[in-house]
């Protein structure tokens, strides 16, 4: 089993905002080093520069728009994200949905800046559709499981298995992450046994009483 | 060459609103009968029942949401569209974009009511993505050509050819329509020679001085 | 106490779709006549023509866009709504929010077609803001109470009172309706005693076992 | 005439992204100091921390959402913006429209963090509506003039005058800025003579060959 990709989404949790974001990112870097795995962090947009300039950790944006330089007030341009120190971006998270044309434009714009793209989807058909847009990763997260603590690998293993199969047919260059309800070491192993190459997780780490312990538990069974 | 599918989108043109919608739908039916082809019409949502109850023509909605019965004020439910007399719906037209999860839900909801689904897209990758959602048709329309009178088959034949190829690989059950700038008989022939099975058109017919003549010209070379 | 305005929103309830919409509209008309009050109905967009052409009842659209004749596929144009037989429209319902510029454009477009406008809002400041756009009515509905059966007049009378006061200051030509959780005669009376001139209601009537009885109860205390 | 508020919106201009944002912000600070006026800057979200930690200049976000700590991936939380060093935010810019309920929530959330709020609007009625939400500033910008170089004070002085009057009636605590097409000293003076207290401007400075000279020209007639 290859080393997985783990991405911790800070959402807009108070525990992952501002200087606290730097703290959790530091914990992610430390645990990643100890365990010899890759743990990326996805802080809020306004925290990307602060985190990336202080912690040696792969930083992902939570969202990027498909806009070019120009009149796009309030939008998130890939080159700005990249210059702020991010290495990639989530796109189309269930809490920040985009229309299809915009997902495609975002993937294209992010790729042009050398950013790794993770397109989030909600079921097997949308995962297949996202794979056709040629991102590096598709992260399938049934919205009804997000934040529940019930891992998708347990509640609905078929959506992960089916997503992996569908992606293989459509575009074998794309890899599948799985999200929603993941927080423990066994969830990560289960996710990988279903064919995913890693996980997207959030509250299980960021809102944990002790994020460092939660991260150590997460990687304990690799 | 099989008989093409022709769908005339009335948009919110004054010339295709209310009783005028019935008039253009009647012209579509007459020309279709004379030429032995199928011409569908896509009037505004509030005109579907009026047209379908007065003219024997396949009626398409311009938009349908993926909602189920419930608290969805102002949304367009597939079963309502179907009960109003429509046989299908456009989904994700460039003037009414949906997010990816909603396109998938719309296709699924429409199919459950027996409606034919035509998902509109803007380029080859989004066409491929839409095909993965398993609609009956994908209609590729480069937005920059819509309403120009310059047919996509002439301005950008590769987007049609590429769309047809991409769809064949992803999901051969799906057929490709092409739109944007189509209005004349030679445009329709050109579109079909590029591998599409029909066309989506709008201003070229609805805003024509004489819609019936425009329709007759459109089918003249079949 | 003047005769109230009562508007029954059919949402996308199965019980208010298609021919069933005609049935409930008929009940509304009958009870309105018996009680000497005005009961309007807001069926789905695709049902407006069907209802208005069969039942002599004031029909409202659930939504209208601010678009003019042109390239606006899937949008709801005021003149189409009017030609389909509607006398007015809800605008900005909590299930179909619009941005501020679009609310203003919708109110203006609807007014230009002689449609009565009811802008929905969620609290006192947004009610005040909506009043500045000069619609005929603002309907304040705290979203957390919609569909609960707990009437706003009881759960949060201050939001109704405060809305009435705020509107009086900003634009005394505008009248306040109240919605959310309304279903019974006493709720209507309570709403009017708080200064509103009528109510917007939905599930309490449309999903009632016997809509006609529910309507009779609603107007029983006038 | 009081000292005006000048806010330079960097949009997603390449000339105002990343390290270049720091450069323009520095020019703004220098010119502001020399002229004894206040010039704020609104860089992209990912550049707020970088600019605020390097340049002593009032930084505004280009957009803020009304969200609280929680599951809001990709959203812009007021407390994050504040911790990144911003002192205020644009809200509802014409390139980043929000629905009415969200504008109200954004103003409220921003105010709770001590951020100065500037709600952008497109005409007199929406300016009046925005004033009812009690922000510090409303910035009226007819969208058709944005980026044209034709100042609103010249092309449509009545929209500024009318906005000032409408705001005075609705909520005299709110002050009016004006935007769209502003770039030169005489535009600023004209804007203030029409009753506004400052300007929002963008391309005229950020895309100028020499932004520092452009800023010096802007404040030259005060």
């Amino acid at each position: 089993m290859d080393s997985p990709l783990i991405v911790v989404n800070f959402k807009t949790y108070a525990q992952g905002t501002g200087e606290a974001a730097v703290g959790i990112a530091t914990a992610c870097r430390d645990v990643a080093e100890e365990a010899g795995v890759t743990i990326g962090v996805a802080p809020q947009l306004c925290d990307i520069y602060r985190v990336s300039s202080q912690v040696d950790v792969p930083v992902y944006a939570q969202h990027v728009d498909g806009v070019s330089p120009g009149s796009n007030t309030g939008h998130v341009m890939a080159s700005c994200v990249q210059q702020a120190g991010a290495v990639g971006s989530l796109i189309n998270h269930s809490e920040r949905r985009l229309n299809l044309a915009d997902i495609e434009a975002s993937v294209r714009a992010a790729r042009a800046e050398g950013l790794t793209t993770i397109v989030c989807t909600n079921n097997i058909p949308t995962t297949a559709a996202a794979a056709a847009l040629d991102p590096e990763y598709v992260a399938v997260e049934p919205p009804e499981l997000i934040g529940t603590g019930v891992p998708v690998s347990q509640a609905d293993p078929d959506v992960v298995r089916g997503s992996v199969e569908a992606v293989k047919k459509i575009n074998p260059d794309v890899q599948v992450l799985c999200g929603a309800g993941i927080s423990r070491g066994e969830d990560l192993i289960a996710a990988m046994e279903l064919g995913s190459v890693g996980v997207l997780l959030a509250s299980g780490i960021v809102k944990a009483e002790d994020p460092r312990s939660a991260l150590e538990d997460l990687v304990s069974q690799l």
Side-chain angles (χ1 to χ4, degrees), chain A residues 100 103-105 107-108 111 119 128-135 170-171 174:
Chain A
L100 176 59
I103 298 172
E104 194 272 330
V107 169
R108 199 155 21 95
R111 191 193 295 143
V119 177
L133 303 176
D134 204 27
I170 300 265
N171 186 345
V174 177

Side-chain angles (χ1 to χ4, degrees), chain A residues 43-136:
Chain A
Q44 289 164 71
L45 296 163
C46 297
D47 285 334
I48 290 176
Y49 185 85
R50 185 200 285 242
V51 169
S52 75
S53 60
Q54 295 184 50
V55 189
D56 184 22
V57 66
V59 177
Y60 290 77
Q62 292 180 7
H63 164 72
V64 66
D65 287 301
V67 298
S68 303
S71 293
N72 306 293
T73 301
H75 286 76
V76 183
M77 181 165 65
S79 70
C80 188
V81 162
Q82 190 272 334
Q83 290 176 55
V87 302
S89 186
L90 306 183
I91 292 172
N92 192 45
H93 189 278
S94 70
E95 293 153 14
R96 189 71 176 83
R97 290 290 190 222
L98 295 178
N99 74 46
L100 176 59
D102 287 343
I103 298 172
E104 194 272 330
S106 293
V107 169
R108 199 155 21 95
R111 191 193 295 143
E113 297 295 330
L115 298 173
T116 298
T117 50
I118 302 174
V119 177
C120 301
T121 57
N122 56 315
N123 59 23
I124 298 174
T126 54
T127 299
L133 303 176
D134 204 27
E136 273 79 14

